[in-house]
Amino acid sequence: MSLSLTDETFTDDHPGMARLTRLAAVSVHASENKGDLYEYVSTHVGSIGLGEIAGIPGTILRRDDSGPCSGMVELTLQTSGRCYVRQDGREASLVPGDFAVVDTRLPYQLTFDTRFTCLVVAVTPQLLPLKPCALKSMTALRVPGHDGIGRLAAQFLKNIAQQATEQDLRNNHELASAVVSIVTAALTNQLDECSGETPAAHRASLLPRVKAYAEARLDDPHLNPADIARAQHISLRYLQKLFEAEGTTVSDWVRRHRLEHCRVDLVDPKNDAMSIAVIAARWGFLDSSYFSRIFKSTYGSTPREFRMAR
């Protein structure tokens, strides 16, 4: 995988930066450790790219004439040092825990004034549930990582990066979908706080946050609509109306996503030694009979039949 480091111009008076340009001009798949050069480790989670980089003070610059680019939307999560992100007339100053996104198809600039480390998450724009105008309003927008959904998203991304070093997640598209949901929710929430919005826009931006919150807690068998509403500081009735607009209910949405996680786990060979009851409980289904019944009504076969048919 190669993130947008392959597309940019690096500028600095430091003698190591000339060598960095040559390193950045190739698709990097393994860790590099060459003194002041960047250390770069990359992998995939489903269709999402993950990269961990560390380096010296300098600037990553994409101009209008920089040539072909990766065409990705990239999130930079600062883990040490400071980064200044500039795009679309905005500048975000990131300290450890903060993150921001850039659209690599357009000019942007990243400036590091100290040695730094950061996590980069690369997503194709088509995977983001955002209109182009909405994405443009979110670039170079600082999402604080010290509290709220920004903190939840930052910790989630760090955990995913750590997990990706321990096991192969390249085919885990469900996890990739969860990453997209929580990142979108954090960005939307921060945009709302910075700019204010109409009631209709608030409803449209609130739903991704609600879904991200519920997605992160599907393993809790006691998760219920009242708890979700309370956590989002809205009434239960208002929460129900958000889902009614999509032709479903809160409980149906939670149940459907739990079932999908169970379905994926049942066909995953690494879970062959795990009983169906344990897999069901892992996603909040404590009643095996109930789980078997709704699984069959959803997928047309019992969990055991489904697993054997794999």
Side-chain angles (χ1 to χ4, degrees):
M1 185 192 84
S2 174
L3 303 187
S4 67
L5 292 182
T6 61
D7 310 316
E8 321 309 332
T9 300
F10 293 79
T11 59
D12 196 276
D13 293 332
H14 195 287
M17 297 305 287
R19 291 178 289 149
L20 175 57
T21 303
R22 292 195 293 274
L23 175 63
V26 299
S27 179
V28 182
H29 293 270
S31 174
E32 297 283 346
N33 190 355
K34 301 181 179 179
D36 285 334
L37 298 185
Y38 284 66
E39 180 178 334
Y40 196 96
V41 182
S42 63
T43 186
H44 280 87
V45 175
S47 53
I48 291 176
L50 283 179
E52 292 184 281
I53 58 176
I56 60 175
T59 295
I60 302 174
L61 176 65
R62 173 168 176 76
R63 301 184 298 262
D64 282 320
D65 59 352
S66 294
C69 71
S70 64
M72 306 289 276
V73 173
E74 296 183 1
L75 175 149
T76 298
L77 171 61
Q78 203 69 17
T79 51
S80 73
R82 182 184 292 272
C83 175
Y84 299 92
V85 182
R86 298 181 179 89
Q87 189 169 51
D88 292 322
R90 287 183 294 276
E91 177 176 299
S93 175
L94 308 182
V95 296
D98 298 344
F99 63 85
V101 298
V102 294
D103 186 339
T104 69
R105 297 168 296 180
L106 303 172
Y108 71 91
Q109 180 176 316
L110 304 179
T111 299
F112 304 94
D113 59 3
T114 63
R115 284 186 172 274
F116 71 92
T117 59
C118 61
L119 172 66
V120 178
V121 181
V123 184
T124 59
Q126 293 78 11
L127 290 180
L128 294 172
L130 298 170
K131 295 180 179 179
C133 59
L135 174 59
K136 187 176 178 65
S137 67
M138 294 177 178
T139 55
L141 177 69
R142 172 180 172 264
V143 179
H146 59 273
D147 61 9
I149 195 168
R151 180 179 180 180
L152 178 65
Q155 190 58 56
F156 183 64
L157 293 173
K158 291 176 184 177
N159 290 342
I160 296 299
Q162 177 60 38
Q163 192 68 25
T165 66
E166 301 171 357
Q167 66 182 100
D168 188 350
L169 300 178
R170 287 175 295 179
N171 294 319
N172 198 322
H173 297 284
E174 290 75 20
L175 193 54
S177 177
V179 170
V180 169
S181 294
I182 197 167
V183 167
T184 302
L187 288 167
T188 304
N189 180 71
Q190 187 62 24
L191 183 63
D192 294 348
E193 292 185 1
C194 291
S195 62
E197 56 182 7
T198 65
H202 178 263
R203 287 194 298 272
S205 64
L206 177 60
L207 189 56
R209 299 203 297 272
V210 170
K211 289 179 177 179
Y213 177 86
E215 181 78 36
R217 291 162 177 78
L218 291 178
D219 60 341
D220 180 1
H222 304 297
L223 180 68
N224 60 67
D227 289 338
I228 296 173
R230 192 178 305 112
Q232 300 300 314
H233 308 292
I234 58 177
S235 69
L236 179 58
R237 178 57 190 153
Y238 188 62
L239 175 68
Q240 292 168 336
K241 289 178 68 175
L242 290 175
F243 282 85
E244 286 173 3
E246 293 199 337
T248 187
T249 66
V250 185
S251 297
D252 284 345
W253 187 93
V254 169
R255 182 167 53 249
R256 187 171 69 252
H257 280 252
R258 280 174 168 166
L259 282 170
E260 180 59 18
H261 281 290
C262 290
R263 184 193 68 79
V264 171
D265 283 354
L266 284 171
V267 299
D268 191 335
K270 75 174 183 288
N271 296 323
D272 283 350
M274 190 179 296
S275 71
I276 292 174
V278 170
I279 290 176
R282 181 194 233 176
W283 294 108
F285 294 111
L286 301 184
D287 187 330
S288 298
S289 298
Y290 170 73
F291 169 67
S292 182
R293 188 166 60 252
I294 65 168
F295 189 94
K296 183 175 183 178
S297 69
T298 302
Y299 298 110
S301 61
T302 66
R304 186 176 304 280
E305 293 167 344
F306 186 86
R307 175 180 252 182
M308 293 178 66
R310 181 192 67 195

